[in-house]
Amino acid sequence: MSGEHVSSRKWSRRTLGGAALAAAGTAGLTAAGMSATGQRRANAEPSGASLHGRLYELRSGSHSAVVAGVAATLLSWQVDGTEMLLTHAADELGEGWQGKTLLPWANRIDQGRYEFGGEQLQVPINEPERESALHGLMGFTEWTPVEHRRDRVVLEHVLHPHYGYPFQLAFRIEFALEGNGIRSTLSARNIGKHDAPFATANHTYLAAGTGSIDDIVFELPASTYYLTNDRLIPTGTAPVEGGEFDYRTARPIGATVMDTAFTDLDRDAEGTATIRFGLSDGSQVELWVDRTHGYLQVYTDDSPEADRPARSGITVEPMTCAPNAFVTGDGLIVLRPGETHEGSWGYRTP
């Protein structure tokens, strides 16, 4: 079977709130032939050409995407040539964890300390202003390519034991263009000898387009939100009914500020919850999550680190657990030796 081939074409750019995204190329991927089946196998040698590792271009009909190997990042999703994500170029570090797959925990661990199996554990604090361990251990780790076809890519990584996380998990993730959108499916298997705490999330931002997210008509099928202290650590829950966070019926986001976790999601008969966005240009986007994702973190991009206007995009993070779950156990998954977890989420244009 022939080697991997991805074109060096640059994806187009779109003005987001007045700040243009620089075009980002897929340079550094080796060119080779394609088999009759259309399958592409990853070259074993890393390109080293991108700050985000290998770049994998996907195409299907009017949809295209770029996945970066570092943090299994969804770096681009385009429909008819229009960038749908608030993202950054491949030669920029980026900010706000844009597009990253977060493992082996989601959101925060208060003060980086938790107890598991009768043992007190401490992981590094990487958000010192909030005294928290944020977004896991794999935000800057490159995954290994397993398979790359025209419309999908599969990556794997083994997380070896760390101080403070003495567990061993094997991860496999697939990004695939399907019909009218893109799907991400992650599996996690405990390959160690002891039970392991586990959670995951994804931090992709949807772009507001040429305006602000204030104009987005937002539908969020969640009936409960988390109250937090000033370090965004949950202190309890409250119903959304009648309050500023009640988006169960679609309405404009307006000036509402959110860095807020939600749960108790309304689902269809198959267990899917759907979040809907009506963009200012009249287009519609949906984010769907399967039943393994029982929590959503909504951030309205109010304090960007990059030089661009605030509220240029919105992230609704599919999460398998609540913030601080390693401490509270709220939604925490415990994988026994040999046990596997699998879950999916995706974006689509209805």
Side-chain angles (χ1 to χ4, degrees):
M1 192 173 295
S2 62
E4 176 183 352
H5 170 72
V6 178
S7 78
S8 60
R9 290 190 301 272
K10 295 182 178 181
W11 69 72
S12 65
R13 61 185 178 181
R14 179 188 186 189
T15 301
L16 302 173
L21 284 174
T26 56
L29 297 182
T30 58
M34 179 184 290
S35 70
T37 64
Q39 183 169 346
R40 298 167 178 177
R41 177 176 290 173
N43 190 304
E45 293 298 321
S47 68
S50 163
L51 293 181
H52 303 276
R54 284 181 165 273
L55 303 177
Y56 307 93
E57 184 177 351
L58 313 179
R59 293 187 176 276
S60 178
S62 62
H63 292 250
S64 63
V66 176
V67 174
V70 171
T73 298
L74 181 57
L75 201 57
S76 173
W77 171 46
Q78 291 192 6
V79 180
D80 290 323
T82 297
E83 182 58 62
M84 306 304 294
L85 306 182
L86 181 65
T87 186
H88 56 83
D91 60 356
E92 297 173 354
L93 183 59
E95 50 90 25
W97 304 81
Q98 289 168 311
K100 292 179 182 290
T101 300
L102 309 176
L103 291 161
W105 67 83
N107 207 279
R108 293 170 174 83
I109 300 176
D110 187 15
Q111 299 182 353
R113 294 198 297 265
Y114 66 103
E115 181 180 343
F116 188 80
E119 189 175 356
Q120 296 289 334
L121 297 167
Q122 174 77 57
V123 291
I125 290 175
N126 61 346
E127 191 185 33
E129 67 275 17
R130 293 195 174 112
E131 300 177 23
S132 293
L134 182 66
H135 293 335
L137 297 169
M138 292 174 54
F140 298 92
T141 297
E142 181 155 18
W143 296 51
T144 300
V146 175
E147 182 182 9
H148 184 199
R149 296 174 182 258
R150 185 176 188 272
D151 59 355
R152 73 182 189 124
V153 63
V154 179
L155 308 173
E156 290 183 345
H157 182 75
V158 172
L159 177 65
H160 295 288
H162 284 58
Y163 294 137
Y165 190 81
F167 312 103
Q168 191 169 25
L169 301 180
F171 299 112
R172 182 181 180 97
I173 193 167
E174 178 188 70
F175 287 93
L177 293 174
E178 296 182 335
N180 61 344
I182 185 164
R183 172 182 52 81
S184 174
T185 299
L186 173 78
S187 67
R189 183 165 59 92
N190 184 351
I191 60 174
K193 297 181 179 179
H194 306 284
D195 290 358
F198 159 77
T200 186
N202 180 273
H203 214 300
T204 297
Y205 290 68
L206 188 70
T210 57
S212 162
I213 64 167
D214 297 19
D215 300 322
I216 289 178
V217 177
F218 187 44
E219 182 179 339
L220 181 71
S223 60
T224 301
Y225 74 98
Y226 282 82
L227 306 167
T228 64
N229 61 20
D230 59 1
R231 295 187 295 112
L232 297 182
I233 300 301
T235 58
T237 61
V240 302
E241 185 172 4
E244 63 176 336
F245 298 146
D246 190 351
Y247 287 93
R248 292 174 298 172
T249 299
R251 62 184 176 92
I253 291 175
T256 302
V257 173
M258 288 178 274
D259 198 346
T260 307
F262 294 84
T263 192
D264 294 333
L265 308 182
D266 185 30
R267 299 179 183 273
D268 64 19
E270 297 180 351
T272 301
T274 302
I275 301 89
R276 296 180 173 89
F277 309 84
L279 305 183
S280 58
D281 62 2
S283 61
Q284 304 286 322
V285 176
E286 294 180 347
L287 168 67
W288 61 268
V289 299
D290 70 6
R291 65 174 68 254
T292 70
H293 295 88
Y295 306 81
L296 302 169
Q297 180 81 19
V298 180
Y299 173 53
T300 46
D301 188 40
D302 296 281
S303 302
E305 300 169 14
D307 183 18
R308 58 174 171 78
R311 300 175 73 86
S312 294
I314 181 171
T315 181
V316 181
E317 302 168 44
M319 301 193 301
T320 60
C321 71
N324 205 31
F326 269 46
V327 175
T328 66
D330 189 356
L332 185 67
I333 297 167
V334 176
L335 292 176
R336 295 174 179 172
E339 199 168 36
T340 297
H341 163 90
E342 182 173 292
S344 298
W345 62 272
Y347 279 106
R348 61 194 177 203
T349 53

